[in-house]
Amino acid sequence: MEPYSRIFRPELLGFKNYATGLKPEDVTSYCPFTGLSFMTRLDAYNNYIPDQTSIIVKIHGAFSLSPSPSSTPSPSSISASAPASAAASASTSWSATDSPRNTSIASQTGTQSTYPATLGPAGASTAFGLFYGWNSPRNSVGIVPQVLYEQSKPHVDLFTAGMVLMNLLQTVNFANPLNGVGIRNVVLVTDSNYLFSCLTEHVYAWQSKGFRNAKGKEVSNANAVKWVESLVEEFERHDICVRFWKVDKKDNWEAVDLARRFLDLHNQFRRRHGIRALLNIGAV
């Protein structure tokens, strides 16, 4: 793949010219049978029709240096305001355990990391949110493990992207969807400038230079970038394009809400029990 080729462009959906103001909700169709959202495209008569070759997922990584005692929701408030599966998945790192395991793509040998287990800042707490669609059993939230050197917002965003790609690789049968053709595109909606530029532009130069910068030092979050890039390349080896759609935070509010609410709930638990940032599981 070439630089910028992973950027989502409206032409993918049949728009001849750049569609100013196009938002993800304008071109998303949820399928309750699969728990996935597919993109809609324009046909020859300018009608919107579901395109079941293109999956779309909204993602967000939340990062906080110090728990705030205010505006902390209760578990009941999460289940009332967020998608129905948010509260159910709040106790795990990610859900979708009822989905069929993917048998069309080989297991990810070499994609799981052996990163050094290191702790982030003493007050750091992080969470991710994956939004597949309203009331989707795949909607997921979880705590980001304290690995990959010092915690940072860029690391959280990379980890979130890695989690959704692993989730899809392990639970979606890409060769036998409803359309009988197969999945050709996975579109990740993100409000992170870092994640967007990292995976659509900078990673190519970093790979050619051994993930070293102009000063010969290892680029920030190199291990996380390598991990996510290996997952993206796993899709590409099976002719599935992973594309990134950069939007404003207000247009990604479902994933933002999932991650922030779970982070607030986690911080409330920490304050109540006097626990510092968790979890250190040693590997991703």
Side-chain angles (χ1 to χ4, degrees):
M1 300 291 285
E2 299 294 328
Y4 309 110
S5 61
R6 293 174 180 166
I7 297 176
F8 168 78
R9 303 182 190 281
E11 296 89 295
L12 176 68
L13 304 178
F15 293 94
K16 296 180 180 179
N17 301 315
Y18 184 77
T20 304
L22 187 69
K23 299 180 180 179
E25 56 264 30
D26 298 332
V27 289
T28 299
S29 175
Y30 176 65
C31 175
F33 180 76
T34 61
L36 295 167
S37 287
F38 296 97
M39 307 204 75
T40 57
R41 60 181 296 115
L42 288 178
D43 64 9
Y45 303 98
N46 288 331
N47 297 316
Y48 285 86
I49 58 174
D51 177 10
Q52 293 178 344
T53 66
S54 299
I55 296 173
I56 182 170
V57 188
K58 292 185 173 183
I59 65 175
H60 180 77
F63 175 82
S64 173
L65 282 176
S66 58
S68 173
S70 61
S71 303
T72 303
S74 63
S76 60
S77 68
I78 287 186
S79 59
S81 303
S85 61
S89 61
S91 61
T92 61
S93 60
W94 55 283
S95 58
T97 54
D98 294 332
S99 303
R101 186 174 180 83
N102 173 30
T103 57
S104 63
I105 293 182
S107 60
Q108 294 71 253
T109 304
T111 60
Q112 295 206 0
S113 65
T114 54
Y115 303 140
T118 55
L119 298 175
S125 55
T126 52
F128 63 86
L130 313 178
F131 181 78
Y132 289 86
W134 288 107
N135 297 320
S136 171
R138 296 178 183 270
N139 290 342
S140 310
V141 293
I143 296 300
V144 181
Q146 306 289 323
V147 296
L148 295 178
Y149 314 109
E150 188 172 288
Q151 287 268 53
S152 65
K153 182 60 167 68
H155 164 227
V156 172
D157 291 331
L158 286 165
F159 183 87
T160 304
M163 288 303 291
V164 70
L165 293 173
M166 285 185 62
N167 187 315
L168 289 171
L169 281 170
Q170 294 172 350
T171 64
V172 175
N173 188 343
F174 290 93
N176 189 31
L178 294 176
N179 60 12
V181 176
I183 301 299
R184 292 293 175 261
N185 298 285
V186 172
V187 178
L188 302 185
V189 179
T190 177
D191 53 88
S192 168
N193 285 312
Y194 174 82
L195 177 66
F196 179 77
S197 61
C198 178
L199 273 301
T200 63
E201 178 184 1
H202 301 309
V203 67
Y204 301 97
W206 291 340
Q207 283 181 317
S208 65
K209 298 177 181 178
F211 286 88
R212 299 282 173 178
N213 59 24
K215 297 181 180 180
K217 296 182 179 179
E218 189 174 60
V219 299
S220 300
N221 301 306
N223 282 345
V225 175
K226 292 176 184 178
W227 174 57
V228 179
E229 176 64 16
S230 70
L231 293 171
V232 172
E233 291 178 357
E234 181 71 16
F235 281 89
E236 293 173 348
R237 278 192 289 271
H238 295 270
D239 298 321
I240 301 171
C241 297
V242 177
R243 303 178 187 271
F244 295 85
W245 188 351
K246 173 64 178 65
V247 300
D248 293 333
K249 194 169 292 185
K250 62 183 177 61
D251 296 323
N252 195 33
W253 70 269
E254 300 95 336
V256 173
D257 191 59
L258 280 176
R260 286 183 173 176
R261 284 175 176 270
F262 187 72
L263 184 60
D264 286 344
L265 185 64
H266 170 54
N267 287 338
Q268 180 188 44
F269 179 86
R270 287 174 53 195
R271 288 193 300 271
R272 182 176 299 172
H273 298 280
I275 301 174
R276 76 180 298 273
L278 74 155
L279 297 163
N280 180 9
I281 64 173
V284 175

